[in-house]
Amino acid sequence: KLLAFVEDILFMVPRSAFWIVTRVVDINENKQPVEVSRPRRTLPDDYKPERRAAIAKLIFDLSLLAGGIQSMPSLAIGKYRMSPMASLESGLRHEFGQRMMMLLHQSLVFQDIPGPKEPKRGQLLRKHNDHLKAILNLIACRLQKYREAFELVQDVIGVSGWKIWIEELGRIVRQSAESEISRLLLRDDGLQHGRLVPQKPITGDEVKLPYPTVLSRVLTMLLKISSTDVASYSHASNCWVYADGKEALGLELIKKLQSVVQESGLIGLDKMMQARISIEFVRFTKFYNTSVKQYSVILEQLRDGLFPEWKCRRDAVEFYKSAIQAVEKLIGPTVLCLTRIGQIQLIRRMIATELRLRLQVGGRTVLRETESALSSNLLDIPDETRDLFVAVGEDTSLFHKFGMKLEPFECLPVLLSLSFLNVSGKLRYDKDLNALMREKNGYPTDGWPLAAGFTTLLKQLHQSYTSAFLAYMAQFIRSAIATTVEESSSNSKKKESSLLASPELRNSAYFCSHMSCLGAFSQESLFSHVPEYQTPLLV
């Protein structure tokens, strides 16, 4: 009790010191920072005597507090020894954590998010997109002012302000991510938050919010503004765009987000998205073991009807039409689940691009940490470094296994191929974006997210599932080409361009190309089923 009492008394000094730092931030708010040194010829143009005098007085008061703390000897209370400088640093960390938690909790609040069936949903989401950008700009500006203030006074107080700013902000967003992951996976987080980083909401308003943590609200907003029924993904530009060409979610917004939550926040978002993908896989497994198993006999009959895969069916139109009608109730949930997974994966790809750029900028520090860990048999690699390498990865490594074991899915390649053939007629190819896009606004499926979902699911299973899926898709392409050639040769009035008349035929080839770009299989594997000389006719 005596130790806690002394700590509370000493905490009055860092509270007063942080109040002075906050006053410096308020003086520089929405204004250019006061430069310490400046050429004499430009001094009269922007002298700012009032601001310089106010900041100088605050720094003088802070120097008196810091001087008193620095002159105090270490205190021995029983078997405990207290250092006044350590108390000053921990108090500044606590106050900064409180202020940043309050800033993030009160600023990153999004109300009236439109539902999937709400009219004018696209226009409302665009307003939320602009609102998110404005909020991130304000928070980034405020954080930058705190950073400048810490750098201005760190020599006076004898504490590294840059270190406090980086470590405490990173600790806040990391623990926010861990709390959200624990909530998603329904487990006790067991985190020891301690005194320095508060995790409870500062005000009572946060209790009413459906997503209590900061990163959960940000992730929810990212998923909303990039919803596949209003936005389309461009693989070449690595961004989401609306129908009129306006950017919905791009690297610019990810960069603004990085300026707020730093690299640790982006890594936390990546972990949260991995947890959501794991939940989607659990839902898909339950759906397959309950609903799909009731159609197991029908799927086996369809699989036998497609055997052997290298053979072209002469009755392709009638067969595929009847097959899709037989499993039509299973196609909708399958496509929606895999589209959600693909959307999350593509956002992870955007975050990985930003982290890869940051890794190139600050790669020397990470390289030194990794080399020192390698010399000690990988026992001392920091967790942040491990998470950074996992989050960055390669474009194709994002779709690899998530550390969970899925049960074998009987006849899954047949269901996947029929699911795409059912939605392929509702998609169109856009040459500018190099993407399959929905034909009508409001349709909840898009080409690239669906291809990413298919790729992610197949990467969790044995390679034979991918080979079988590719064989069924190639069989449909060859059968459609053969049927079209026979019809055009039997009717002399039809031109040879009728080969390109079927949207399902061309979209199937584009879809296989999308999956090949995402690493599901190589172009050589596709050409082993579809001759390469037929590809120009399709794509």
Side-chain angles (χ1 to χ4, degrees):
K1 293 183 179 180
L2 179 60
L3 181 63
F5 175 75
V6 174
E7 286 182 348
D8 291 338
I9 295 298
L10 290 178
F11 256 68
M12 296 177 61
V13 176
R15 288 194 187 100
S16 302
F18 191 81
W19 178 85
I20 294 176
V21 174
T22 305
R23 286 288 300 131
V24 175
V25 172
D26 294 337
I27 291 175
N28 289 328
E29 188 72 22
N30 299 326
K31 297 178 181 179
Q32 293 293 331
V34 177
E35 299 182 12
V36 179
S37 60
R38 190 161 186 169
R40 182 179 300 178
R41 61 180 179 275
T42 61
L43 187 60
D45 298 335
D46 195 12
Y47 181 55
K48 308 182 184 75
E50 297 82 4
R51 292 174 56 196
R52 288 179 178 270
I55 293 176
K57 184 178 183 303
L58 291 173
I59 293 179
F60 175 75
D61 296 339
L62 182 60
S63 65
L64 296 179
L65 290 175
I69 289 292
Q70 292 172 0
S71 62
M72 291 179 60
S74 299
L75 303 178
I77 302 177
K79 61 180 181 179
Y80 299 100
R81 180 171 293 275
M82 293 185 56
S83 174
M85 286 301 299
S87 299
L88 175 62
E89 181 176 353
S90 62
L92 288 175
R93 288 177 178 271
H94 177 263
E95 293 299 322
F96 180 74
Q98 286 276 6
R99 187 59 61 92
M100 291 304 101
M101 182 65 68
M102 183 183 299
L103 175 64
L104 295 176
H105 269 289
Q106 293 180 352
S107 300
L108 293 173
V109 177
F110 310 101
Q111 301 290 349
D112 302 327
I113 299 178
K117 296 183 180 180
E118 188 169 342
K120 297 182 179 180
R121 182 167 181 264
Q123 299 179 3
L124 294 177
L125 287 178
R126 297 186 189 191
K127 293 181 180 179
H128 280 284
N129 188 1
D130 299 335
H131 180 55
L132 176 61
K133 292 180 180 178
I135 289 178
L136 293 179
N137 286 331
L138 290 176
I139 297 177
C141 181
R142 187 70 175 178
L143 291 176
Q144 181 66 21
K145 295 300 180 182
Y146 269 105
R147 174 182 169 182
E148 294 172 355
F150 269 119
E151 291 177 349
L152 188 62
V153 304
Q154 63 182 355
D155 293 335
V156 177
I157 60 179
V159 177
S160 176
W162 168 259
K163 185 177 180 181
I164 293 176
W165 189 81
I166 287 292
E167 291 182 355
E168 293 307 309
L169 187 58
R171 190 181 304 178
I172 289 173
V173 295
R174 281 197 302 272
Q175 292 191 355
S176 176
E178 292 296 334
S179 300
E180 178 63 16
I181 293 173
S182 301
R183 186 187 70 85
L184 290 175
L185 301 181
L186 301 178
R187 68 187 185 192
D188 185 13
D189 56 2
L191 297 176
Q192 299 296 327
H193 302 309
R195 184 178 184 179
L196 298 184
V197 181
Q199 289 298 306
K200 293 183 180 180
I202 304 300
T203 63
D205 297 335
E206 276 73 10
V207 181
K208 303 178 183 179
L209 296 174
Y211 303 100
T213 61
V214 173
L215 292 184
S216 62
R217 301 177 211 162
V218 173
L219 179 57
T220 302
M221 181 54 62
L222 293 180
L223 294 175
K224 289 292 184 180
I225 63 178
S226 63
S227 181
T228 54
D229 60 339
V230 295
S232 299
Y233 181 78
S234 172
H235 185 268
S237 303
N238 197 11
C239 67
W240 300 78
V241 295
Y242 293 120
D244 58 356
K246 183 181 178 182
E247 186 178 277
L249 176 60
L251 296 179
E252 181 182 358
L253 183 58
I254 299 297
K255 184 177 180 180
K256 291 181 181 179
L257 181 61
Q258 185 275 335
S259 64
V260 173
V261 299
Q262 306 300 311
E263 288 81 0
S264 55
L266 295 183
I267 294 174
L269 286 173
D270 183 81
K271 285 185 174 182
M272 291 166 56
M273 286 187 282
Q274 292 183 43
R276 290 205 175 197
I277 291 175
S278 300
I279 294 174
E280 292 293 340
F281 277 139
V282 172
R283 293 174 179 172
F284 182 80
T285 302
K286 183 182 295 186
F287 162 74
Y288 208 91
N289 292 333
T290 55
S291 301
V292 179
K293 277 193 173 181
Q294 300 177 6
Y295 290 79
S296 58
V297 177
I298 298 176
L299 290 173
E300 289 178 359
Q301 293 175 355
L302 296 176
R303 183 183 60 183
D304 296 339
L306 294 172
F307 183 81
E309 292 83 1
W310 52 266
K311 186 178 180 180
C312 297
R313 292 191 62 92
R314 301 302 179 186
D315 57 341
V317 178
E318 294 79 7
F319 177 81
Y320 285 105
K321 184 178 180 180
S322 60
I324 291 174
Q325 291 178 353
V327 295
E328 190 173 4
K329 293 183 178 180
L330 305 177
I331 292 176
T334 301
V335 170
L336 289 178
C337 179
L338 296 181
T339 301
R340 287 196 299 266
I341 293 176
Q343 179 189 5
I344 297 174
Q345 287 284 63
L346 294 176
I347 297 178
R348 287 187 64 212
R349 180 175 182 263
M350 300 175 64
I351 291 179
T353 302
E354 179 64 23
L355 288 176
R356 193 176 295 114
L357 177 61
R358 297 294 168 180
L359 184 61
Q360 292 176 357
V361 174
R364 293 183 178 180
T365 303
V366 178
L367 183 60
R368 285 196 298 266
E369 294 177 354
T370 307
E371 288 178 348
S372 62
L374 288 174
S375 61
S376 58
N377 297 324
L378 294 176
L379 297 179
D380 299 324
I381 289 184
D383 293 337
E384 299 177 14
T385 305
R386 290 179 183 270
D387 297 338
L388 179 60
F389 283 132
V390 172
V392 170
E394 297 291 338
D395 283 346
T396 57
S397 64
L398 298 175
F399 303 94
H400 288 178
K401 293 191 176 181
F402 284 84
M404 59 183 303
K405 185 177 180 181
L406 296 181
E407 300 177 359
F409 297 128
E410 191 70 22
C411 302
L412 177 64
V414 178
L415 178 60
L416 292 181
S417 60
L418 294 178
S419 298
F420 174 75
L421 294 179
N422 182 47
V423 302
S424 61
K426 303 173 185 177
L427 303 175
R428 62 177 178 84
Y429 180 73
D430 187 276
K431 294 182 180 180
D432 297 330
L433 297 179
N434 188 22
L436 285 174
M437 302 175 58
R438 60 193 174 278
E439 189 70 32
K440 297 181 180 179
N441 291 331
Y443 189 68
T445 303
D446 204 50
W448 279 107
L450 187 60
F454 275 42
T455 302
T456 305
L457 176 59
L458 293 175
K459 283 293 184 180
Q460 314 309 309
L461 305 171
H462 192 266
Q463 181 64 28
S464 59
Y465 285 85
T466 304
S467 302
F469 171 77
L470 180 58
Y472 291 137
M473 293 295 294
Q475 184 182 25
F476 168 78
I477 294 174
R478 294 195 311 271
S479 300
I481 292 176
T483 302
T484 308
V485 169
E486 290 181 358
E487 291 178 355
S488 60
S489 61
S490 61
N491 190 352
S492 59
K493 294 182 180 180
K494 290 186 178 181
K495 299 182 180 179
E496 189 177 356
S497 61
S498 60
L499 283 170
L500 309 178
S502 174
E504 291 83 0
L505 174 59
R506 300 189 65 195
N507 291 343
S508 298
Y510 285 123
F511 189 74
C512 291
S513 177
H514 287 359
M515 293 185 64
S516 177
C517 292
L518 296 175
F521 43 78
S522 61
Q523 289 284 352
E524 290 76 11
S525 301
L526 177 61
F527 294 151
S528 64
H529 295 279
V530 179
E532 187 173 0
Y533 67 86
Q534 293 181 348
T535 305
L537 296 175
L538 303 176
V539 299

